[in-house]
Amino acid sequence: MAGAMNILNMASFGVAAAILSFATSLLIVLSQNWHGKHSLDHDLSAIQKVHTIAVPRIGGIAVMTGLIFSAIFFAIVSPSLVKPINIQDVFSLLLASCPIFLVGTLEDLTKRVSVKARLVASMVSAFLASWLSGAIIDGLDIWGFDALLTIVPFAILVTAFVVAGGTNAINIIDGFNGIAATVVIIMLAALGYLAWRCGDVLVTQLALLIAGAAFGFLVVNYPTGRLFLGDGGAYLLGFLVSEVMILLLIRNPSINAWQVLAICAYPIIEVLYSIYRRKIVRKMSPGHADRLHLHALIYRRVVCQMLRHNPARPWLRNAAVVCFVGTWVAVMSFIAVVAGDTIVSALVIVALQVGSYLAIYARLVRGHWRWYTVRVVSGSLLIVPDIKIP
C-alpha cells in the first residue's frame, strides 16, 4: 500500500506540471496580441521554417512555469505528501537550468543571441548542476576512458560536454509540430521506468515532472502549432533530459550507459550527423540552419508525397511528421528498456539505430538504401560515406 501511495504521489507531480504548463500555454496564445511584437516568429522566410503564419515561440516559459509552480505547490501546500521525495534536489536542478533557459528565451525574444553564447550558457548550466546536484558522470562503460573519469576535473568537463550536446540535440530536432515534446516524453517515460525499477524515487519523480510539463505544452502545440517551444523551451527540455540521464547512471550502477544511450539515440545521432554534414561535407559552420535534418527530409520526401495540401487544414502535413519520428523513437526506446540490460545488447541496439538512420537518410537523399561506397585507394579497399547533400 505504501509503495502504491508513493507512486501516486510522484505521478501527481506530473499531473500538476501538465495542468500548469497547459494553462500557461493557453494564456500565452490568448494574449499574443499584447506580447506578439516580441514573441511571434515573424521570419517565415527562414530556410528551415515550414509554418505559414506567425506563432508565439515562447512555449518554454509555459514549460518552466509548470515545473516551478508544481514543485512550489507540493513543497509548501503538501509537505507531508512529498516527504519521501527530496524536493530540494528538484529545485537545485531547476536553478541550474536557468542560464540556458534564460539565454534561449532571450534569443526567442530578440533573435540576436549567438550560437556560441547559447553553447556557453548550456555548459554553465551543466557546471551548476554538477555543483548543486552532484550530477557528475563517473562512468560511461568505455574501457580505459572510465579510468580517466575518476579524475574529478576531467569528469566535470566531460559532463559539461555531454550536457551541452544533449541540450542542443533537442533543439536540433525541434522542427515540426509535436516532435521535440513527443520525443522528450517518450525518452523520459523509458528513463523513468528504469529508475522506478531500480527504486530511484528522485529520478522517477524528475522524469514524471518534466514529462508532465512537456505534455501540457504539447496539448496546445499539437497538431495545429498554435505555440512553439522556441529555443528557450527546447534547450530547457534538452538540458533536463540530459541531467536525468546522468543522475540515473550515477545513482544506479546496475544500469549501463549504452542502454541509456540507446533510449536517447535519435536526437544524439541527429546532432552528430548534422555536425558532420555541415562541417565536413558542406564546409560550413555547424550552427548554420538548413532543411536537411531527417525530419525535414521525411516531410518533403514522404509526407508531402502521401498527403495533398489541404487549405482547410494547412497544418496537417506538418503534424504528420511526428507520426514517423515518434513511432521510431517509441519502438527503439521500448526495445532498449526490454533488451538493453547488458552492454553488448545495448551496443547492438545503438548500432541498429545508427545504421537505420544512415540507410533511411541515404534513401531520402539519394533514392537508394546504401549509404556507403567501396573504393580502391592505393591497392586497399576503403568504405567511404556516399551521402551527398543536395
Side-chain angles (χ1 to χ4, degrees):
M1 178 65 70
M5 183 61 67
N6 195 35
I7 293 174
L8 183 62
N9 291 346
M10 289 188 292
S12 63
F13 265 74
V15 173
I19 293 173
L20 288 165
S21 178
F22 169 76
T24 308
S25 296
L26 204 57
L27 181 62
I28 290 172
V29 173
L30 295 175
S31 62
Q32 61 182 291
N33 288 337
W34 297 346
H35 54 74
K37 179 180 179 181
H38 302 287
S39 65
L40 291 179
D41 194 358
H42 292 287
D43 186 12
L44 305 181
S45 62
I47 190 171
Q48 76 274 23
K49 303 296 178 63
V50 295
H51 57 285
T52 56
I53 60 173
V55 175
R57 53 176 291 172
I58 53 173
I61 294 176
V63 175
M64 181 61 101
T65 300
L67 292 169
I68 292 176
F69 283 96
S70 59
I72 291 176
F73 173 79
F74 282 102
I76 296 178
V77 178
S78 305
S80 61
L81 182 66
V82 297
K83 188 174 181 179
I85 304 170
N86 192 345
I87 196 68
Q88 183 177 351
D89 289 333
V90 178
F91 285 121
S92 295
L93 197 56
L94 292 179
L95 179 61
S97 72
C98 285
I100 185 56
F101 168 69
L102 292 175
V103 169
T105 302
L106 184 63
E107 162 63 12
D108 293 329
L109 296 173
T110 67
K111 322 301 189 292
R112 295 178 180 177
V113 181
S114 68
V115 174
K116 184 179 293 186
R118 283 173 269 164
L119 180 61
V120 170
S122 66
M123 299 194 75
V124 170
S125 285
F127 287 133
L128 279 175
S130 297
W131 175 45
L132 296 173
S133 303
I136 304 174
I137 295 174
D138 56 7
L140 290 173
D141 294 308
I142 301 175
W143 184 83
F145 190 77
D146 284 358
L148 295 175
L149 291 174
T150 59
I151 305 172
V152 175
F154 180 76
I156 292 175
L157 287 175
V158 170
T159 300
F161 177 80
V162 169
V163 172
T167 300
N168 283 275
I170 298 302
N171 190 48
I172 285 285
I173 67 170
D174 183 27
F176 291 87
N177 297 345
I179 287 186
T182 298
V183 169
V184 164
I185 291 169
I186 292 170
M187 294 190 305
L188 287 171
L191 296 173
Y193 174 76
L194 290 181
W196 173 77
R197 196 168 64 181
C198 292
D200 191 331
V201 175
L202 172 63
V203 177
T204 305
Q205 169 206 350
L206 284 172
L208 288 169
L209 180 68
I210 301 163
F215 181 78
F217 158 81
L218 181 63
V219 173
V220 177
N221 167 257
Y222 191 82
T224 56
R226 290 170 290 179
L227 177 65
F228 295 156
L229 266 179
D231 285 3
Y235 286 137
L236 173 65
L237 289 177
F239 170 79
L240 292 175
V241 170
S242 300
E243 291 298 334
V244 167
M245 291 167 55
I246 293 171
L247 287 171
L248 178 64
L249 287 175
I250 65 177
R251 292 167 58 90
N252 303 280
S254 61
I255 298 175
N256 71 80
W258 293 99
Q259 183 176 27
V260 173
L261 177 60
I263 291 171
C264 304
Y266 166 65
I268 295 173
I269 295 171
E270 183 70 63
V271 73
L272 291 176
Y273 188 70
S274 296
I275 293 172
Y276 163 75
R277 62 179 172 76
R278 288 172 179 172
K279 186 69 175 178
I280 306 300
V281 178
R282 307 192 75 190
K283 311 298 182 183
M284 60 175 56
S285 168
H288 184 78
D290 58 35
R291 296 191 300 166
L292 294 170
H293 296 299
L294 181 62
H295 54 259
L297 292 175
I298 290 173
Y299 173 76
R300 300 204 311 272
R301 302 291 173 87
V302 180
V303 173
C304 288
Q305 303 303 318
M306 294 175 59
L307 297 176
R308 293 181 178 179
H309 175 64
N310 187 341
R313 297 177 179 177
W315 43 264
L316 189 60
R317 285 177 168 179
N318 187 314
V321 178
V322 73
C323 298
F324 294 90
V325 175
T327 300
W328 170 254
V329 174
V331 169
M332 297 313 301
S333 294
F334 176 78
I335 294 174
V337 168
V338 172
D341 292 337
T342 67
I343 294 178
V344 173
S345 61
L347 271 169
V348 171
I349 297 170
V350 171
L352 173 64
Q353 295 190 68
V354 172
S356 299
Y357 177 97
L358 292 174
I360 293 170
Y361 200 101
R363 175 64 180 175
L364 294 176
V365 170
R366 303 281 287 164
H368 57 67
W369 295 101
R370 192 183 72 252
W371 56 271
Y372 60 87
T373 295
V374 178
R375 296 178 182 173
V376 178
V377 179
S378 300
S380 300
L381 292 178
L382 294 180
I383 297 178
V384 296
D386 185 34
I387 302 178
K388 296 180 181 179
I389 307 302

